Amino acid sequence: MSVSIGIIGTGWVGSSVAISTLHSGVCTELLLYDLREEVAAGDAMDLSHGASFYPPASVRTASIKEMRRCNAVVVTAGRGGRPNESRLDLLKDNAATVRSIGQTFAGYEGLLVVVTNPVDVLTHVIREASGLPAARVIGTGTMLDTARLRQRLGEELRIDPRSVHAQVVGEHGDSEVVLWSGARAGGTPLRQWPGWSAEREAAIATEVRTAAYEIIRRKGATNHAIGLVTAALLKWALRGDRRVITVSRVHEDIEGVRDVALSLPVVVTPRGAEQVIVPEMTKEERAALQRSAAVLRRAIESVNG
Ligand code: NAD
């Protein structure tokens, strides 16, 4: 079966998404586009030279219009964060870029996967500009934060991160919420692990929340983990594995905040992020999710106003 994936924007993130997607074997064709045409062309050549080392797939450049026939298109176009800049500061610059991309996908039948930051607000912008059903415009959201959390917890507990079940929900950014009450390893709540403490939780949550700033301060961008995250999202969705992952989409109502994009656990399929699973939360976690939704709602209004 042929599966075609497009990537718009082949900077740090786009090229990492490309190599991880090729290794995952999910597609038979990978199409690349960047405003800097030579950069996309160079990446296509470079990636195709590795064809002996990943499952059969062709790689070439294409126009955004041609990508309308892809099964999924990933949007990483726009600029990255700068040291000491919050993701919401990126908003104005990147909203204009992704809005025009969204308009090109009106009537599109595949999945649009949004990576450009601030990812939740831009998921809302692209959904609106494209007019697509909310389930088919998926932001990577807190899937990356959840991966970072599981890695850190795995390190703390000396357990494979894949055996640690813990989730980050809400904004991919400063107001994100770690659902500690539901976090488990081997079926045991983390809060019952010997030596577990509120201080330990707070320190880990801060590390996860500020991870991107720490990486950007050192190397100017983050790319590898988001590349792997996006490739996994594409694979699990397009193969119909029905995995539950924390990704962003527009919701009608979150704790009384209407029309906002943020992450919750969702079953992903080729038809998108259709089945949202609202997790069990404590009163405090629920309130934190509502605060996160309100932060995002204000950001959406600031870009529309
Ligand atoms: P980058 O500057 O290396 O690459 C961005 C690319 O987009 C550039 O090559 C640029 O030419 C291209 N571009 C700009 N406007 C375009 C347009 N209209 N059409 C096509 N291409 C266009 O930046 P990066 O480090 O790759 O980051 C890309 C985005 O991904 C940033 O917004 C960054 O914050 C975000 N990001 C998100 C996550 C996440 O978890 N959601 C993680 C890492 C980075």
Side-chain angles (χ1 to χ4, degrees), residues 180-194 196:
W180 289 110
S181 66
R184 281 175 163 68
T188 301
L190 288 193
R191 288 182 160 166
Q192 287 172 22
W193 273 66
W196 199 254

Side-chain angles (χ1 to χ4, degrees), residues 11-13 34-36 76 78-79 94 115 117 140 172 222 226:
W12 280 87
V13 174
D34 195 286
L35 207 53
R36 299 179 296 164
T76 78
R79 67 172 182 84
N94 287 348
V115 183
N117 273 324
T140 53
H172 168 60
T222 72
I226 186 62

Side-chain angles (χ1 to χ4, degrees), residues 33-74:
Y33 173 79
D34 195 286
L35 207 53
R36 299 179 296 164
E37 285 178 16
E38 287 295 300
V39 170
D43 231 9
M45 289 164 71
D46 198 4
L47 288 160
S48 61
H49 295 161
S52 313
F53 308 103
Y54 49 75
S58 66
V59 187
R60 65 177 173 85
T61 57
S63 67
I64 295 184
K65 280 222 168 73
E66 196 186 337
M67 291 185 188
R68 283 181 55 95
R69 65 169 180 77
C70 288
N71 301 77
V73 173
V74 180

Side-chain angles (χ1 to χ4, degrees), residues 45-178:
M45 289 164 71
D46 198 4
L47 288 160
S48 61
H49 295 161
S52 313
F53 308 103
Y54 49 75
S58 66
V59 187
R60 65 177 173 85
T61 57
S63 67
I64 295 184
K65 280 222 168 73
E66 196 186 337
M67 291 185 188
R68 283 181 55 95
R69 65 169 180 77
C70 288
N71 301 77
V73 173
V74 180
V75 180
T76 78
R79 67 172 182 84
R82 294 175 181 145
N84 306 320
E85 180 185 58
S86 90
R87 287 191 182 90
L88 293 183
D89 292 336
L90 273 180
L91 176 56
K92 290 247 149 52
D93 284 355
N94 287 348
T97 301
V98 304
R99 187 175 287 117
S100 74
I101 292 172
Q103 284 160 353
T104 317
F105 285 91
Y108 174 56
E109 292 185 347
L111 302 181
L112 277 182
V113 175
V114 186
V115 183
T116 309
N117 273 324
V119 64
D120 300 291
V121 183
L122 298 186
T123 297
H124 191 278
V125 168
I126 295 192
R127 219 285 313 155
E128 207 161 67
S130 64
L132 295 181
R136 282 204 280 115
V137 183
I138 309 173
T140 53
T142 56
M143 190 173 167
L144 177 57
D145 310 83
T146 293
R148 286 174 172 149
L149 175 68
R150 293 173 75 187
Q151 184 273 332
R152 274 298 289 118
L153 292 174
E155 202 170 50
E156 287 275 311
L157 306 173
R158 302 192 63 240
I159 287 179
D160 186 319
R162 288 168 292 190
S163 298
V164 178
H165 299 285
Q167 308 187 102
V168 182
V169 297
E171 181 196 6
H172 168 60
D174 296 342
S175 73
E176 68 188 31
V177 184
V178 179

